[in-house]
Structure formats: C-alpha cells, structure tokens
Amino acid sequence: MAIASRSTTTTWEGDLPSGKGTLSQSSSSVLDNQVVTWGSRTRAPEGKTSPEELLAAAHSSCFAMALNDRLSQDKIVPNRLEVTAEVTLDEVNGNPTITTSKITLKADIDGITEEAFKAAVSDAESGCPVSRLYASAEITVDAELV
C-alpha cells in the first residue's frame, strides 16, 4: 500500500506559444486555479508557474524533510533549514529536457559537528524520494552550516 498519493489536473486551452494550462483538482486544493504557460516556462513567470517551479518546490521541500528525518535519528532538531532548489530546463539533442536540480542549503543547527552535518546531508541527498525520482538528472547539493 502506498504511503501517499496526490494528484493535480491540468486543463490546457490553445496552442503551445499562446495557450495556457489551468491547474485544478489538486489533492490539497492549494494549486487550484494556478496558470502555467510556455512563456512562464521559458521566459518570464509573470505571475504564472511552470513545471520546473513546481518540481523545484517538490525537491526543496522533500530534501528539507529528508534532512530533518536524518537529523532526528541523531536526536538533533535544527533551528532552521533553508533549502532552495533550482531546476533547469535545457535543450538536449534538440529536445527541451530537465537536466539539473541544484539544492542550496543553509542550516542553523546547534550542537552538530561539521563531520556529522556533512554525513547527514549526504544521507538526505541519497534518501530524498524526489532526488531518487530525478536520478537521471544531475543533482548537486551546496550545504553550509551557519
């Protein structure tokens, strides 16, 4: 049995360059009525989202949870984890392809050594379910204990 299953529907109207997709029926309803366009994906967002932005949100939040879970195994509670994911859409062999997800982490954690921090980050990197989903993409993590 699955731990969780979530869904969202996109209804697209029009052609790719000038059309738009509207998100609906999201499991939490938080994404409902958000608009996605080719322009928001490849040029300026202009108040609209894109698959890459949604993937970045998924990766940054998943990584934060994975690191927090790993730290809890050592009975460590972070004061603050600021996790940014930057997902890149690039052209590969003439096809738009999501090629990278770069995680930048700033962690405020009392009572942790640099060695223990690096070990926890490494475990979170390999343990994050979204990272495993992105296995064919280049995933980098730049972590700083502040």
Side-chain angles (χ1 to χ4, degrees):
M1 186 164 152
I3 294 172
S5 179
R6 304 289 184 265
S7 63
T8 300
T9 299
T10 301
T11 303
W12 191 271
E13 297 173 334
D15 63 1
L16 183 60
S18 61
K20 71 175 184 174
T22 304
L23 305 181
S24 64
Q25 301 174 32
S26 62
S27 297
S28 67
S29 74
V30 171
L31 297 174
D32 291 357
N33 300 314
Q34 293 297 311
V35 175
V36 296
T37 65
W38 183 249
S40 65
R41 188 174 197 180
T42 59
R43 293 186 302 276
E46 297 180 351
K48 300 169 186 78
T49 193
S50 69
E52 291 72 27
E53 182 177 48
L54 296 169
L55 291 169
H59 202 189
S60 65
S61 60
C62 184
F63 189 91
M65 290 181 198
L67 181 56
N68 205 314
D69 180 55
R70 172 55 180 79
L71 291 168
S72 72
Q73 293 171 23
D74 294 334
K75 301 196 182 346
I76 296 172
V77 177
N79 298 318
R80 180 181 166 95
L81 301 175
E82 182 179 300
V83 183
T84 302
E86 181 181 353
V87 173
T88 302
L89 178 68
D90 208 347
E91 190 172 308
V92 176
N93 298 323
N95 297 306
T97 303
I98 295 169
T99 55
T100 63
S101 183
K102 178 185 178 187
I103 296 285
T104 302
L105 165 66
K106 292 183 182 174
D108 178 5
I109 306 170
D110 294 331
I112 191 169
T113 66
E114 189 71 32
E115 182 179 321
F117 173 68
K118 286 181 181 179
V121 168
S122 178
D123 288 349
E125 183 178 4
S126 62
C128 170
V130 173
S131 291
R132 291 196 306 272
L133 174 66
Y134 293 166
S136 66
E138 178 188 339
I139 298 171
T140 62
V141 177
D142 181 11
E144 175 185 359
L145 184 59
V146 295

